[in-house]
């Protein structure tokens, strides 16, 4: 330590050179974070003074108009963040700034106990946010005077962040703290009023104290100040004091959406862990819903004591609810030193579970009480919600209850039939929920695999969204009823039907052998179908085989898909099949057999291995050559 009569130079503790290098080069993903951190620290100081004045009334006059000022000087290339909060003594400056990761606010809370601690819940508990100043500044000057101390007891701290700092006793006319950032050469953007104001609006609009900036005239700051933040967090107000218009207006500013929200839910949880949630369902998909990677998801903002921390959608909501917009404001959450990355723990999981529950409650309420709004929601986000069947096993039943599908007994392409609706219409003795997947409504509704189901009056759900085949793989049953594909496995038959099937198979044995010989390795097997009543042929899949239309899509997306040999089912009573049976010319018989397979593959959404050969075969059959 080098000392003079007025100034002393000290080395940082805790290997500061290495730690500051980490802070300034690795800790913050966005350098603009420094303004949020310093304003948050100023807010903490104002909170402290307000709380201290309860026990020491003489301090109350000092904080009668608590505020935070942000100013800039283009000539000196400085940005200054000032507050008239509690301030610091010389020893506190050394303890809180000279020692890395030592938080004066945290020590202040530790000094209190019982009811006092509960009353001070607004006071932050952050550690090293101050050092983010060195991300944009090559020198930082701090001037502080503790509330109630004499003007001559002010202290000035200064450092270039390279291992040492200087301390000097100075005279300060007012209590509080000022942090002056001497900006680096390439940080001119922070010398512009509009940039500073936009950052304050983005990160600190809901800080409880007025944040002021000088009014600018002729491109120069004046001595007049204006408050630029809302200084009030809408979500912290009682619901009885918030109108629907207030909620709608807040949503538009929150999500940059010109449309009104479809619905919202506002809740406060009290207890060992207290937090507030205000969650919105948009009326239309956000433009970025399907863009970018999962790490880029935004929309659900995390605050801690009204200080914006991050777009924490990834940590607070599962991916299938990524369309939700809103805020979560926790009284306390453990963060890493940058205050940007949440530490995963039970507290976070509890908040996440509460958010999921609130969103699903809200969607269920729409489905129950406002069917028109629910229809709007489902049209926009139904496919996204389906992802939850695979992603969220704990809520799979709740999500499944919200899904809607078209049906052979529904209203055309309208996806309005729920699984509960289907179960309510099931015939006596029916044990499964039957469905079919395809790449369009027409392909699903017109599938030859449904002919027997339609003839027997058995309802089949028509699933034609791209995600359905993947989603249904995780939904094996609902309310004790198995979900079964009408295109996979065996068709349910009563004893009489089984007897007819066995007899038809026995009679068709020569035909089946002929078709197997003609088709060769194009098929795995040929069987008499219990599904067909009008069509000549269809494909039959095993219970665990991927639908052909999904396999085709995955191949088109560059995925390697194993080749499988389909089972061809035929209708021996159909004229085209009978023609194959009676055809004596081997070439013509093979063309007819391959056409049976080709049309079955087309109906199932498979990709023909040789479209040109199919066209030539079709032309030969039509021309009789």
């Amino acid at each position: 330590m080098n000392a003079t009569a007025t100034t002393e130079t000290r080395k940082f503790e805790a290997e500061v050179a290495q730690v500051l290098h980490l802070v300034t080069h690795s800790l913050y993903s966005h350098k603009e974070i420094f303004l949020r951190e310093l304003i948050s620290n100023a807010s903490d100081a104002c909170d402290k003074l307000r709380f201290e004045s309860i026990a020491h009334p003489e301090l109350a006059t000092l904080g009668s108009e608590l505020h935070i000022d942000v100013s800039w000087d283009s000539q000196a290339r400085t940005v200054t963040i000032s507050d008239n909060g509690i301030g610091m003594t010389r020893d506190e400056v050394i303890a809180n700034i000279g020692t890395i990761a030592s938080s004066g606010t945290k020590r202040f809370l530790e000094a209190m106990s019982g009811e006092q601690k509960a009353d001070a819940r607004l006071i932050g508990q952050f550690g090293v946010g101050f050092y983010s100043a060195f991300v944009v500044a090559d020198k930082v000057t701090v001037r502080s005077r503790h509330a109630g101390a004499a003007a001559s007891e002010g202290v000035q701290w200064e450092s270039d962040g390279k291992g040492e700092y200087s301390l000097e006793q100075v005279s300060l006319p007012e209590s509080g703290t000022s942090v002056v950032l001497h900006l680096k050469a390439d940080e001119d953007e922070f010398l512009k009023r509009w940039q500073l104001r936009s950052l304050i609006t983005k990160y600190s609009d809901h800080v409880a104290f007025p944040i002021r900036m000088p009014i600018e005239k002729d491109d120069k700051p004046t001595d007049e100040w204006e408050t630029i933040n809302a200084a009030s967090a809408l979500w912290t107000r009682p619901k009885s004091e918030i109108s629907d218009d207030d909620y709608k207006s807040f949503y538009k500013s929150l999500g940059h959406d010109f449309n009104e929200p479809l619905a919202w839910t506002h809740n406060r949880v009290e207890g060992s862990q207290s937090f507030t949630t205000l969650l919105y369902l948009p009326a239309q998909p956000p433009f970025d819903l399907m863009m970018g990677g999962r790490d880029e998801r935004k929309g659900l903002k995390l605050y801690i004591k009204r200080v914006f921390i991050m777009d924490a959608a990834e940590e607070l909501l599962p991916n299938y609810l990524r369309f939700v917009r809103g805020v979560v404001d926790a009284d306390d959450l453990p963060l890493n030193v940058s205050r940007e990355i949440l530490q995963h723990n039970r507290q976070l999981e509890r908040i996440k579970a509460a958010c999921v529950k609130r969103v699903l409650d809200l969607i269920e309420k729409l489905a129950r009480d406002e069917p028109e709004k629910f229809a709007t929601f489902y049209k926009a986000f139904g496919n996204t919600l389906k992802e939850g069947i695979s992603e969220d096993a704990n809520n799979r039943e709740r999500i499944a209850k919200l899904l809607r599908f078209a049906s052979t007994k529904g209203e055309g392409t309208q996806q309005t039939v729920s699984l509960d609706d289907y179960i309510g219409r099931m015939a006596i003795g029916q044990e499964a929920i039957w469905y079919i997947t395809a790449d369009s409504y027409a392909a699903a509704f017109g599938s030859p695999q449904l002919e027997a189901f339609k003839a027997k009056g058995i309802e089949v759900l028509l699933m034609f969204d791209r995600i359905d085949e993947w989603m249904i793989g995780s939904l094996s049953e609902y309310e004790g009823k198995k979900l079964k594909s009408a295109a996979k496995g065996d068709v349910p038959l009563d004893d009489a039907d089984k007897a007819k099937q066995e007899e038809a198979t026995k009679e068709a044995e020569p035909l089946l052998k002929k078709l197997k010989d003609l088709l060769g390795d194009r098929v795995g097997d040929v069987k008499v179908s219990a599904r067909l009543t009008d069509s000549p042929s269809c494909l039959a899949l095993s219970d665990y085989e991927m639908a052909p239309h999904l396999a085709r899509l995955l191949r088109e997306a560059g995925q390697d898909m194993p080749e499988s040999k389909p089972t061809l089912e035929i209708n021996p009573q159909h004229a085209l099949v009978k023609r194959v049976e009676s055809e004596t010319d081997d070439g013509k018989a093979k063309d007819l057999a391959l056409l049976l397979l080709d049309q079955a593959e087309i109906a199932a959404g498979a990709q023909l291995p040789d479209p040109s050969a199919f066209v030539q075969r079709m032309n030969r059959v039509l021309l009789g050559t």
Side-chain angles (χ1 to χ4, degrees):
M1 179 181 72
N2 301 320
T4 67
T6 58
T7 305
E8 60 177 310
T9 301
R10 288 173 168 257
K11 289 187 178 294
F12 283 110
E13 298 180 22
E15 298 179 327
V16 169
Q18 292 90 335
V19 176
L20 278 178
H21 180 82
L22 173 67
V23 170
T24 55
H25 293 89
S26 306
L27 201 57
Y28 290 87
S29 57
H30 303 289
K31 57 188 177 182
E32 64 193 34
I33 296 297
F34 80 91
L35 192 58
R36 178 190 74 185
E37 295 297 313
L38 297 179
I39 289 176
S40 178
N41 289 344
S43 175
D44 291 345
C46 292
D47 266 325
K48 282 187 185 181
L49 179 56
R50 187 165 61 182
F51 189 82
E52 282 283 286
S53 64
I54 298 174
H56 304 282
E58 68 276 10
L59 298 179
T61 55
L62 297 174
S64 57
E65 294 182 2
L66 291 168
H67 58 265
I68 301 165
D69 292 342
V70 178
S71 58
W72 72 100
D73 186 329
S74 300
Q75 298 298 319
R77 295 184 52 76
T78 60
V79 174
T80 303
I81 297 90
S82 303
D83 67 77
N84 58 344
I86 192 70
M88 291 179 285
T89 64
R90 177 181 178 279
D91 290 341
E92 287 172 337
V93 168
I94 295 173
N96 298 337
I97 302 181
T99 303
I100 288 291
S102 175
S103 171
T105 303
K106 184 176 181 181
R107 292 188 179 185
F108 176 77
L109 278 178
E110 290 173 348
M112 297 185 291
S113 61
E115 293 181 0
Q116 275 189 311
K117 193 166 185 177
D119 291 338
R121 63 185 182 277
L122 294 177
I123 300 172
Q125 297 186 64
F126 303 117
V128 300
F130 166 79
Y131 300 102
S132 64
F134 289 103
V135 174
V136 297
D138 51 22
K139 184 171 73 171
V140 178
T141 303
V142 179
R143 299 185 182 92
S144 188
R145 173 186 148 196
H146 194 275
S152 60
E153 295 180 16
V155 60
Q156 176 173 297
W157 177 101
E158 193 168 80
S159 175
D160 59 6
K162 295 180 180 178
E164 294 182 340
Y165 63 90
S166 65
L167 277 174
E168 181 180 358
Q169 186 170 330
V170 294
S171 180
L172 297 175
E174 296 180 354
S175 61
T177 301
S178 294
V179 179
V180 183
L181 309 182
H182 303 265
L183 297 183
K184 296 175 181 177
D186 55 349
E187 304 297 348
D188 288 357
E189 62 181 298
F190 300 113
L191 293 174
K192 298 179 175 63
R193 186 181 194 275
W194 66 267
Q195 173 72 343
L196 295 172
R197 177 166 185 162
S198 66
L199 293 178
I200 293 169
T201 300
K202 177 180 180 180
Y203 290 109
S204 307
D205 198 44
H206 299 286
V207 168
F209 303 99
I211 302 175
R212 310 187 310 178
M213 291 187 73
I215 295 175
E216 197 173 44
K217 290 183 179 179
D218 299 326
D219 295 328
K220 294 182 179 180
T222 67
D223 294 332
E224 298 180 65
W225 296 83
E226 68 168 336
T227 300
I228 59 172
N229 67 319
S232 173
L234 177 134
W235 60 86
T236 63
R237 292 158 49 189
K239 288 191 282 187
S240 59
E241 297 179 6
I242 309 174
S243 68
D244 285 356
D245 287 340
D246 290 335
Y247 280 120
K248 293 174 183 177
S249 176
F250 179 72
Y251 167 78
K252 291 179 180 180
S253 65
L254 178 75
H256 305 289
D257 193 343
F258 293 104
N259 302 297
E260 292 186 351
L262 195 63
W264 59 84
T265 177
H266 185 190
N267 301 95
R268 172 71 179 170
V269 176
E270 300 282 0
S272 58
Q273 182 185 7
S274 299
F275 58 91
T276 300
T277 59
L278 175 54
L279 308 173
Y280 291 91
L281 295 181
Q284 297 180 5
F287 75 94
D288 58 348
L289 181 67
M290 304 305 293
M291 296 173 62
R294 291 192 175 193
D295 293 339
E296 299 172 5
R297 279 204 287 131
K298 300 183 184 298
L300 189 63
K301 298 180 180 296
L302 173 66
Y303 289 77
I304 295 183
K305 297 159 191 171
R306 296 189 302 275
V307 177
F308 176 64
I309 302 301
M310 63 190 298
D311 280 301
E314 186 74 17
E315 288 78 8
L316 295 176
L317 277 178
N319 193 54
Y320 74 93
L321 296 178
R322 60 186 176 274
F323 50 81
V324 174
R325 298 292 183 258
V327 299
V328 174
D329 190 348
D331 283 2
D332 184 32
L333 269 182
L335 303 169
N336 73 354
V337 288
S338 75
R339 202 193 292 198
E340 288 190 275
I341 305 171
L342 290 168
Q343 296 176 359
H344 289 277
N345 58 33
R346 291 181 180 178
Q347 289 175 280
L348 185 62
E349 289 303 315
R350 184 180 175 217
I351 294 178
K352 183 173 183 176
C355 289
V356 173
K357 181 181 183 300
R358 295 298 181 191
V359 173
L360 294 180
D361 285 347
L362 183 58
I363 299 173
E364 286 173 353
K365 184 176 183 296
L366 283 184
R368 182 179 63 250
D369 301 333
E370 300 181 81
E372 290 186 2
K373 283 189 175 182
F374 178 77
T376 299
F377 163 79
Y378 196 80
K379 182 178 180 181
F381 305 111
N383 280 351
T384 313
L385 189 65
K386 288 176 183 177
E387 297 173 17
I389 295 294
S390 176
E391 293 180 6
D392 190 354
N394 292 332
N395 290 294
R396 184 172 294 153
E397 195 86 358
R398 292 190 71 183
I399 299 168
K401 187 179 288 288
L402 294 168
L403 301 184
R404 300 292 185 267
F405 305 99
S407 161
T408 53
K409 292 187 178 180
E411 302 173 2
T413 60
Q414 298 300 311
Q415 295 176 311
T416 57
V417 179
S418 69
L419 294 177
D420 288 329
D421 294 334
Y422 184 99
I423 292 174
R425 295 196 290 257
M426 284 173 63
I428 296 175
Q430 183 179 340
E431 298 179 353
I433 299 172
W434 292 96
Y435 70 89
I436 190 167
T437 61
D439 53 7
S440 69
Y441 169 80
F445 185 78
S447 172
Q449 295 155 329
L450 299 187
E451 291 175 358
F453 291 88
K454 292 177 180 178
K456 293 177 179 291
I458 298 175
E459 183 175 9
V460 180
L461 297 176
L462 308 176
M463 303 182 182
F464 47 86
D465 291 324
R466 288 191 172 188
I467 192 175
D468 286 336
E469 177 74 17
W470 173 80
M471 176 270 296
I472 208 70
S474 299
L475 188 63
S476 58
E477 68 174 62
Y478 175 79
E479 296 288 349
K481 303 290 185 182
K482 295 287 186 182
L483 274 82
K484 297 190 67 174
S485 173
K488 297 180 181 180
D490 296 324
V491 176
L493 299 174
D494 55 27
D495 291 340
D497 288 335
K498 286 181 180 178
K500 290 180 181 178
Q501 179 74 6
E502 289 174 0
E503 183 178 351
T505 300
K506 187 175 182 180
E507 292 178 357
E509 282 182 358
L511 171 62
L512 297 177
K513 183 179 184 305
K514 182 177 183 179
L515 285 170
K516 289 178 185 178
D517 292 339
L518 290 171
L519 295 173
D521 60 4
R522 283 284 304 273
V523 295
D525 199 4
V526 181
K527 296 180 179 180
V528 173
S529 179
R531 292 178 170 84
L532 300 173
T533 58
D534 300 317
S535 300
S537 62
C538 70
L539 295 187
L541 308 175
S542 68
D543 287 329
Y544 304 103
E545 194 171 351
M546 184 180 295
H549 70 274
L550 180 60
R552 172 173 54 81
L553 290 174
L554 292 175
R555 288 193 187 96
E556 290 172 356
Q559 299 291 325
D560 290 329
M561 300 301 299
E563 293 293 337
S564 62
K565 296 181 180 180
T567 294
L568 180 67
E569 290 191 354
I570 61 166
N571 176 5
Q573 304 305 315
H574 194 277
L576 183 58
V577 177
K578 287 182 175 295
R579 185 174 170 187
V580 177
E581 186 177 19
S582 61
E583 182 60 62
T584 57
D585 184 290
D586 290 344
K588 292 180 179 180
K590 186 163 187 175
D591 278 346
L592 291 170
L594 287 171
L595 283 178
L596 286 176
L597 177 60
D598 289 340
Q599 61 181 264
E601 289 179 327
I602 291 172
Q607 186 172 12
L608 295 180
D610 190 348
S612 177
F614 164 73
V615 172
Q616 293 172 16
R617 277 193 296 274
M618 179 63 73
N619 289 339
R620 286 196 297 269
V621 170
L622 291 173
L623 295 173
T625 59

